[in-house]
């Protein structure tokens, strides 16, 4: 199955708001929603939002997720230097398997 | 506290086999769909395989079908990935995870090289 579509890079200023997008289709994102992951190289991915757009325990309120149709979004408010890293979305595809986006590299200026 | 502890991995030659393991603590594997996800050098995350909660259904990415086998040992609360006929392009950090619930292991490096 084809992967999810994420912009390769997003740049925003310190303390600004960034919105990352993830586009799939009715068989994946539109089916059960998307998971959002933050991934610093050398560390395991960290889940920021579950498929129901809920934040796991311990995740800052600065991270919020939403979905409209086949597009999921992750909004990060009050950008901090430590937010500069890679972000991935993933969704279960009805065909059978997880599909991932190519990842978005967030730069905090 | 939920933890996923991985083991296995290493350097092998093309065509050889390797088995990855992960042990879950703080939660029961039979309550979750368990997966293996990998990241090749300089690339993004790629799903490899998933096993449903009772082990009755297994799903694989096309590139590993017929070569990799995902399995679990409920008594040991463990998940495995048997990787046969390894190829250079299988070189990656492999993660054991419950993708939907967000529990991830720290990853283990598999290098396939002659």
């Amino acid at each position: 199955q084809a992967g999810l579509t994420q912009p390769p890079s997003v740049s925003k200023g310190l303390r600004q708001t960034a919105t990352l997008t993830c586009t799939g289709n009715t068989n994946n994102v539109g089916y059960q929603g998307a998971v959002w992951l933050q991934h610093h190289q050398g560390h395991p991915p960290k889940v920021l939002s579950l498929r129901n757009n809920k934040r796991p325990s311990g995740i800052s309120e600065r991270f919020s997720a939403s979905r409209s149709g086949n597009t999921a979004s992750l909004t990060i408010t009050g950008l901090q230097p430590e937010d500069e890293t890679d972000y991935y979305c993933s969704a279960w595809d009805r065909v059978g398997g997880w599909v991932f986006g190519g990842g978005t590299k967030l730069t905090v200026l | 506290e939920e933890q996923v502890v991985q083991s296995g991995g290493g350097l092998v030659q093309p065509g050889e086999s390797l088995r990855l393991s992960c042990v879950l603590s703080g939660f029961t594997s039979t309550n979750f769909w368990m997966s293996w996800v990998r990241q090749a050098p300089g690339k993004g995350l790629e799903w490899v395989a998933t096993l449903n909660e009772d082990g009755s259904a297994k799903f694989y990415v096309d590139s590993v079908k017929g070569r990799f086998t995902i399995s679990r040992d409920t008594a040991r609360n463990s998940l495995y990935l048997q990787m046969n006929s390894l190829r250079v392009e299988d070189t990656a950090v492999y993660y054991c995870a419950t993708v939907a619930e967000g529990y991830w292991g720290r990853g283990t490096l598999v290098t396939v090289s002659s």
Side-chain angles (χ1 to χ4, degrees):
Chain A
Q1 52 273 46
L4 308 178
T5 300
Q6 295 184 252
S9 63
V10 168
S11 298
K12 288 288 184 180
L14 192 63
R15 293 182 294 278
Q16 288 191 332
T17 295
T19 297
L20 312 182
T21 59
C22 167
T23 301
N25 57 44
T26 54
N27 287 327
N28 41 62
V29 176
Y31 175 46
Q32 291 185 333
V35 170
W36 283 96
L37 303 164
Q38 180 188 62
H39 192 201
H40 289 277
Q41 285 304 309
H43 295 271
K46 177 181 177 182
V47 64
L48 301 176
S49 177
L50 304 175
R51 287 183 292 185
N52 56 6
N53 297 325
K54 293 284 175 36
R55 278 185 305 273
S57 171
I59 299 301
S60 170
E61 293 180 353
R62 297 192 298 110
F63 297 93
S64 63
S66 62
R67 176 168 68 101
S68 177
N70 299 331
T71 297
S73 300
L74 177 73
T75 298
I76 311 170
T77 59
L79 283 168
Q80 299 297 308
E82 60 267 28
D83 298 331
E84 182 166 298
T85 190
D86 298 322
Y87 293 82
Y88 293 89
C89 60
S90 183
W92 179 259
D93 195 288
R94 257 193 262 244
V95 172
W98 287 97
V99 286
F100 282 83
T104 295
K105 181 175 181 57
L106 176 64
T107 300
V108 180
L109 303 171
Chain B
E1 180 190 0
E2 297 86 359
Q3 280 192 312
V4 179
V5 180
Q6 297 186 224
S7 60
L11 172 63
V12 296
Q13 295 191 341
E16 293 187 340
S17 299
L18 209 54
R19 189 175 87 152
L20 305 182
S21 305
C22 72
V23 178
L24 284 60
S25 65
F27 62 106
T28 303
S29 67
T30 52
N31 291 340
F32 301 99
W33 289 43
M34 298 295 305
S35 297
W36 291 95
V37 176
R38 67 186 178 185
Q39 184 176 37
K43 303 289 187 182
L45 297 173
E46 179 189 33
W47 168 74
V48 175
T50 294
L51 181 67
N52 72 343
E53 69 270 65
D54 65 6
S56 62
K58 301 179 181 183
F59 306 89
Y60 300 94
V61 68
D62 286 346
S63 61
V64 308
K65 282 179 182 175
R67 301 189 298 124
F68 290 11
T69 302
I70 188 172
S71 62
R72 64 163 30 116
D73 182 332
T74 55
R76 288 179 161 73
N77 209 25
S78 296
L79 182 75
Y80 306 102
L81 185 68
Q82 177 66 41
M83 304 184 293
N84 298 332
S85 302
L86 280 161
R87 303 169 181 169
V88 171
E89 54 266 34
D90 294 319
T91 295
V93 174
Y94 285 73
Y95 296 98
C96 172
T98 65
V99 179
E101 292 78 18
Y103 302 124
W104 289 71
R106 298 195 65 81
T108 187
L109 178 61
V110 172
T111 303
V112 185
S113 175
S114 54

